[in-house]
Amino acid sequence: QTGSFTFDPGFLSTAACKSSITYIDGDKGELLYRGYPIEQLAEHCDFLEVAQLLLKGELPNAAEKENFANIIKNHTMVHEQLTRFYQGFRRDAHPMAVMVGVVGALSAFYHDAMDISDQEHRDISANRLIAKLPTIVAMAYKYGAGQPFMYPRNDLDYAANFMHMMFAVPCETYKPNPVLTRALDRILILHADHEQNASTSTVRLAGSSGANPFACISAGIACLWGPAHGGANEACLQMLEEIGDVSRVGEYIKRAKDKNDSFKLMGFGHRVYKNFDPRAKLMRETCHEVLNELGLHDDRLFKLAIELEKIALEDDYFVEKKLYPNVDFYSGIVQRALGIPTPLFTGIFAMARTVGWISQWNEMIADPEQKIGRPRQLYVGAARRDVKPIGQR
Ligand code: SDX
């Protein structure tokens, strides 16, 4: 019994770790960050408030919120030498490949905050990562587009500054649309943390060896890239484009049910949620708001996604296996409407999840009982045997 939550004591023997950051009830479709429902945070807070909640355990007051926003604003630029890393990549490099490399390379620039036993050092590297990830993601986009990097602007808030670095060009004044930047801010909140998912577990395992935070976050980015995890939003949009029309939905539902077909309905199903992923509902609402703001009421992919969700949720296979839309089902459509190129979707997921990864990494490092991670195995290989001379093999 911890707080108001109860669980079978035997659970701890199988749990990877104890954490007080995020709670998911997969059967109820409930998601809490430090006890606050995701629905309330998405409505009443912005991403940096949620970042402080995840990092420190409490929502900031007005003064704390402003102070943190100023700290982040003062670290959004990257070292000028780091910009040269981009020149080493092909222009058509996937942004996640660039991010794995560039974020890991931050370890080579910040020797002044690498003592992970010192909470102040951990705070400094955390603030740098939160501040610089948007700059690094936007630079990956600009490099691929063959456009000049846009420096951050301190007069803009976190989401608006990212949109500026992505879409502004030197010869024009870029004016962010507040409805669109608020939508992006909410997308970041929805992706900020999610308990012990694959990439968070990767960050914790890397961090348990004492590796520096930049290297650990780079490992998390690499894991998130997979299409079964953070890459699903990009894969889901490609799937919707391939289906193309409602008349073909049945064919793909049939394929998803066919055990001999490796095809899975992207954006559907979840390791934990056996009910609606609360983030999917909020993402669908955000999608609606953005499309309305842009006058795209009849966006064909959004209409196709709505129909696909309806048909799948009426199908026995999906009902029996408790497969519902997850966070990735609508996030690709709304990011596409925001003008974000498909290959950047997972980069934005990584930008948001960096806050969760750092919070979880901090919690692990601060745990006095923490030891290096060493997952056990069930050995099913050959019994002990002796080597034969090569002539007898
Ligand atoms: C994220 O862990 C997290 O929290 C992750 C995440 C986060 O915020 O960090 O929430 C982000 O990764 C969301 C998931 C994004 N991935 C996708 O949308 C890819 C499509 N989904 C599937 O690959 C799948 O649902 C997984 C990988 C997400 C979960 O796979 P599991 O653990 O096998 O799911 P399950 O045990 O509930 O599956 C039950 C059955 C299985 O068939 P049987 O073995 O019972 O015959 O349903 C099948 C699965 O094969 N199934 C699907 C399916 N998802 C599961 N069949 C068709 N289409 C699907 N999408």
Side-chain angles (χ1 to χ4, degrees):
Q1 175 92 18
T2 60
S4 59
F5 302 106
T6 56
F7 52 78
D8 163 20
F11 169 78
L12 265 191
S13 63
T14 58
C17 66
K18 280 181 291 182
S19 177
S20 59
I21 298 173
T22 293
Y23 174 75
I24 301 172
D25 182 322
D27 294 325
K28 280 196 234 163
E30 184 179 44
L31 170 58
L32 309 176
Y33 287 168
R34 301 282 193 181
Y36 291 102
I38 190 70
E39 295 83 356
Q40 294 181 30
L41 293 170
E43 186 181 346
H44 300 300
C45 299
D46 68 21
F47 176 65
L48 287 186
E49 281 178 87
V50 170
Q52 286 178 276
L53 171 66
L54 289 169
L55 287 165
K56 299 298 178 189
E58 295 299 336
L59 282 169
N61 60 33
E64 291 161 337
K65 176 180 175 179
E66 189 183 353
N67 179 50
F68 185 65
N70 289 332
I71 289 171
I72 295 300
K73 280 182 180 178
N74 290 326
H75 286 91
T76 49
M77 287 187 58
V78 293
H79 195 292
E80 212 43 38
Q81 275 183 272
L82 195 84
T83 62
R84 292 195 202 117
F85 270 78
Y86 289 78
Q87 314 305 329
F89 292 99
R90 285 176 31 163
R91 290 278 182 190
D92 61 352
H94 194 289
M96 291 298 275
V98 175
M99 287 175 64
V100 168
V102 173
V103 172
L106 291 173
S107 317
F109 285 81
Y110 298 112
H111 303 130
D112 62 337
M114 300 277 265
D115 175 359
I116 61 170
S117 63
D118 178 329
Q119 181 61 57
E120 196 186 334
H121 277 212
R122 297 207 299 270
D123 288 349
I124 292 170
S125 48
N127 294 342
R128 281 181 172 142
L129 279 158
I130 294 167
K132 295 177 194 312
L133 254 290
T135 311
I136 289 168
V137 175
M139 286 170 71
Y141 166 62
K142 286 297 197 188
Y143 180 72
Q147 292 180 13
F149 296 144
M150 293 306 292
Y151 282 86
R153 273 178 44 188
N154 284 351
D155 61 315
L156 299 174
D157 67 27
Y158 196 82
N161 187 28
F162 175 70
M163 299 283 265
H164 153 74
M165 293 188 288
M166 280 282 292
F167 302 121
V169 287
C171 39
E172 285 168 20
T173 308
Y174 177 76
K175 201 169 171 309
N177 174 323
V179 173
L180 305 188
T181 56
R182 176 60 186 143
L184 176 65
D185 190 271
R186 188 177 303 152
I187 289 169
L188 298 178
I189 290 173
L190 297 179
H191 286 90
D193 191 54
H194 210 239
E195 204 220 61
Q196 304 313 315
N197 56 84
S199 52
T200 297
S201 302
T202 301
V203 171
R204 278 181 171 258
L205 196 55
S208 71
S209 74
N212 73 72
F214 305 107
C216 294
I217 298 303
S218 174
I221 293 170
C223 176
L224 187 73
W225 192 0
H229 188 13
N233 47 25
E234 182 178 350
C236 182
L237 203 73
Q238 284 158 358
M239 174 190 75
L240 291 170
E241 290 284 11
E242 188 186 319
I243 295 173
D245 184 82
V246 177
S247 61
R248 298 187 65 205
V249 165
E251 174 196 332
Y252 282 82
I253 295 273
K254 190 159 169 274
R255 284 190 57 197
K257 293 157 61 174
D258 179 355
K259 281 300 157 210
N260 299 317
D261 188 331
S262 62
F263 172 77
K264 288 210 187 305
L265 216 50
M266 289 289 112
F268 254 77
H270 199 274
R271 292 307 315 263
V272 177
Y273 289 119
K274 302 308 167 193
N275 196 327
F276 251 96
D277 179 337
R279 302 168 299 172
K281 289 181 188 170
L282 292 163
M283 198 65 83
R284 185 175 54 206
E285 286 164 23
T286 305
C287 205
H288 212 68
E289 284 165 22
V290 168
L291 293 172
N292 279 344
E293 172 69 15
L294 296 169
L296 298 171
H297 315 280
D298 293 330
D299 181 85
R300 66 184 177 83
L301 290 187
F302 185 52
K303 288 175 75 174
L304 176 58
I306 295 275
E307 273 307 302
L308 174 54
E309 174 185 334
K310 185 168 164 291
I311 295 168
L313 294 184
E314 288 164 356
D315 184 287
D316 292 346
Y317 173 89
F318 288 86
V319 174
E320 279 154 27
K321 292 185 184 291
K322 299 182 178 176
L323 303 176
Y324 290 84
N326 60 48
V327 66
D328 292 302
F329 190 61
Y330 290 101
S331 76
I333 302 170
V334 60
Q335 290 183 69
R336 168 179 155 272
L338 292 174
I340 293 160
T342 310
L344 263 291
F345 293 173
T346 312
I348 287 171
F349 192 154
M351 203 166 103
R353 189 55 58 89
T354 291
V355 167
W357 288 331
I358 291 169
S359 306
Q360 301 267 351
W361 170 79
N362 251 321
E363 183 179 63
M364 176 205 60
I365 298 284
D367 177 356
E369 293 166 21
Q370 173 57 37
K371 289 188 170 54
I372 186 168
R374 186 65 176 79
R376 296 304 290 135
Q377 68 166 19
L378 178 65
Y379 179 71
V380 292
R384 193 188 187 289
R385 53 185 169 164
D386 298 323
V387 174
K388 289 197 184 89
I390 192 160
Q392 296 173 27
R393 291 178 214 158

